[in-house]
Amino acid sequence: MKFELIAAETVYEGRAFHVRRDHLRAPDGRMVQYDIIEHTGSVIIIPVDSQGQMHFVRQYRHAAQINLLELPAGTLEPGEPPVEAAAREIREETGMEAEKLVEIGAFYLAPGYSTELMHVFLATELKYNPLEADADEFLSVEKIPATEALRQAESGEMQDAKSLAALLLARKYLQANALNP
């Protein structure tokens, strides 16, 4: 299926993303419009300590109007390599530095309307080395055994989609290593 881009225009420029309206010719010749959220990409980190505890953050998400339990995550600065963003974000959000950061996968957060590609990193060999948190973030860190985190994900107790997808990508590692420290 081939869509032909006829024109694109920026309709909104914000702090975290821009919105672009694409005018396309569909495969059947009709003209269609798509509003696309342009995003620089992001990282999500799965911090696992030597005791098999995963470090999550709980934070208020205004769009959902609830406090969500999530894996640490953050937005890439323009041109920033994902591994550098992961190293920065884990320190800002959990206060921990990872001696080992391994990218285990990537996924599009919402490909129907967004360009955001999330890079998933497994973070191990953790040590305390915090960076100052972003001014708009109010987080609390919660340590959860990997087995319990997987249980919460499978039971529907965990509601953050990016955390669920990252845990699925990490499941094989977690079952082989973190669950048997």
Side-chain angles (χ1 to χ4, degrees), residues 7-23 33-40 112-116:
E9 60 185 304
T10 299
V11 295
Y12 172 78
E13 290 191 26
R15 178 184 62 86
F17 58 84
H18 305 306
V19 178
R20 181 185 79 224
R21 180 162 296 139
D22 288 349
H23 302 268
Q33 290 183 33
Y34 288 101
D35 290 340
I36 305 296
I37 295 173
E38 293 182 325
H39 194 282
T40 57
Y113 59 84
S114 175
T115 63
E116 184 175 1

Side-chain angles (χ1 to χ4, degrees), residues 34-155:
Y34 288 101
D35 290 340
I36 305 296
I37 295 173
E38 293 182 325
H39 194 282
T40 57
S42 56
V43 295
I44 184 165
I45 306 106
I46 304 168
V48 183
D49 65 25
S50 60
Q51 289 78 43
Q53 300 280 320
M54 298 178 67
H55 296 225
F56 283 82
V57 295
R58 188 171 299 275
Q59 63 181 318
Y60 177 71
R61 293 300 194 175
H62 186 66
Q65 296 188 346
I66 59 173
N67 288 299
L68 283 176
L69 184 67
E70 308 174 18
L71 288 166
T75 300
L76 296 170
E77 298 294 331
E80 182 180 31
V83 70
E84 289 179 19
R88 172 179 42 80
E89 288 293 338
I90 189 175
R91 291 179 63 203
E92 286 178 1
E93 293 197 358
T94 69
M96 303 304 286
E97 180 178 11
E99 290 292 319
K100 288 177 76 174
L101 273 172
V102 177
E103 187 168 357
I104 60 170
F107 58 87
Y108 285 96
L109 188 61
Y113 59 84
S114 175
T115 63
E116 184 175 1
L117 179 65
M118 294 201 85
H119 301 267
V120 182
F121 287 87
L122 188 62
T124 57
E125 298 179 24
L126 306 180
K127 66 179 181 182
Y128 186 72
N129 188 12
L131 285 175
E132 187 173 332
D134 290 339
D136 64 344
E137 289 184 322
F138 299 91
L139 310 171
S140 62
V141 176
E142 296 183 20
K143 297 179 187 178
I144 301 172
T147 51
E148 175 60 13
L150 290 172
R151 187 200 67 72
Q152 286 183 24
E154 290 171 354
S155 72

